[in-house]
Amino acid sequence: SSGKVYAGGRFTHANGTAVRNLARFNADGTLDAAFAPAPNSDVSALVGQGDGKLLVGGGFSSIAGQSRAGLARLNADGTLDAALDANINGALVDAIAVQPDGRIVFGGSFTSVGGLTRNRIARVSPDGTIDAGFNPNASSTVRALALQADGKIVLGGNFSSVGGQSRSCLARVNTDGTLDTAFSPNMSAYVVHGLAVQSDGKITAVGQIYSVAG
C-alpha cells in the first residue's frame, strides 16, 4: 500500500549501496536504506501480507541477524517477526502462498518441518505450527504454488509423484492435502517454474514443458 517494491535474489549491491539478497525500493526507485534484513543466502520467494509484514523464502539460514532456515516473516521495518518459526531442516523454500485464513503453504526442497517429515511442501499456521494433517508428499522440489478460489492448491516443480501417485511436474491437491485425482494434465516436462490461476479458473504453467495431454 505504500508503493514500495521488494526485490529478492542473490546480490550484494543495489543503486550503488551495499545490500545483501533482499532490498526495498521507494516508489521513485531509490533504495530504502532503512530496510536491511541481509539474509545470508538467496531469496527465492516473497509474499506481502495485508498487515505490512513480508514473508521471505529462500536458501538462507539467518536473516535480520537471527537464525531462520528457509522461511521467515519480517516486520515492516525489516526486523524479524519472532512469532513465526516453522523449524525447517535447512533446505530451500522456493514458493509461498497465504490462504485466506492466514495459513501459510510453502514448497521447496526440504524434508522436515516442525520436527515432522514433510517432503517439499507443508502448511503452517501464522505462528509456524505445522498442520499435521496436511502432507501432499512431493517426490522432488516444489518450485511454484497457486491458490484456487475453492481452496485447492496447484503445485509445480521437478517432482514425478505427489501423494504416492504419478504426476509429472504439475499437480493439484485438495484443501486437506490429498491429491486431486480429477486433475491429471499428463504433462511431459523437466520443471514447472511458475503458476497462475486465471479469473475463469484456468491454470497457466511455465517452465521446461514438452507436451501436455499428448
Side-chain angles (χ1 to χ4, degrees):
S1 59
S2 66
K4 294 186 178 183
V5 178
Y6 293 94
R10 182 189 297 177
F11 52 84
T12 58
H13 288 76
N15 285 3
T17 301
V19 58
R20 187 167 57 177
N21 302 325
L22 179 59
R24 185 168 67 191
F25 298 89
N26 299 308
D28 64 358
T30 57
L31 182 69
D32 181 354
F35 181 85
N40 67 341
S41 191
D42 299 17
V43 169
S44 303
L46 296 171
V47 174
Q49 295 189 170
D51 58 3
K53 294 182 179 182
L54 181 72
L55 288 163
V56 184
F60 52 84
S61 59
S62 72
I63 186 169
Q66 298 191 51
S67 176
R68 280 294 183 280
L71 181 69
R73 185 168 57 210
L74 301 177
N75 299 308
D77 63 358
T79 59
L80 184 71
D81 180 358
L84 175 69
D85 188 358
N87 187 22
I88 300 169
N89 67 336
L92 180 70
V93 170
D94 237 349
I96 304 170
V98 181
Q99 297 182 168
D101 62 4
R103 288 185 293 179
I104 302 161
V105 183
F106 55 96
S109 57
F110 52 84
T111 56
S112 172
V113 177
L116 299 177
T117 298
R118 283 296 179 275
N119 291 318
R120 293 104 191 175
I121 180 170
R123 182 167 65 194
V124 296
S125 64
D127 67 355
T129 303
I130 191 167
D131 181 347
F134 182 88
N135 189 14
N137 188 26
S139 62
S140 192
T141 306
V142 172
R143 299 190 181 276
L145 294 168
L147 303 179
Q148 295 189 168
D150 61 2
K152 292 183 179 181
I153 302 162
V154 186
L155 52 148
N158 297 91
F159 50 81
S160 58
S161 70
V162 174
Q165 298 191 51
S166 178
R167 287 293 185 278
S168 177
C169 299
L170 182 64
R172 185 168 65 198
V173 297
N174 300 306
T175 56
D176 63 358
T178 57
L179 183 69
D180 180 358
T181 57
F183 181 81
S184 184
N186 188 22
M187 178 178 285
S188 173
Y190 175 72
V191 62
V192 168
H193 276 300
L195 291 169
V197 177
Q198 300 177 173
S199 58
D200 61 3
K202 292 181 179 178
I203 298 161
T204 302
V206 295
Q208 291 177 259
I209 300 166
Y210 310 119
S211 70
V212 180

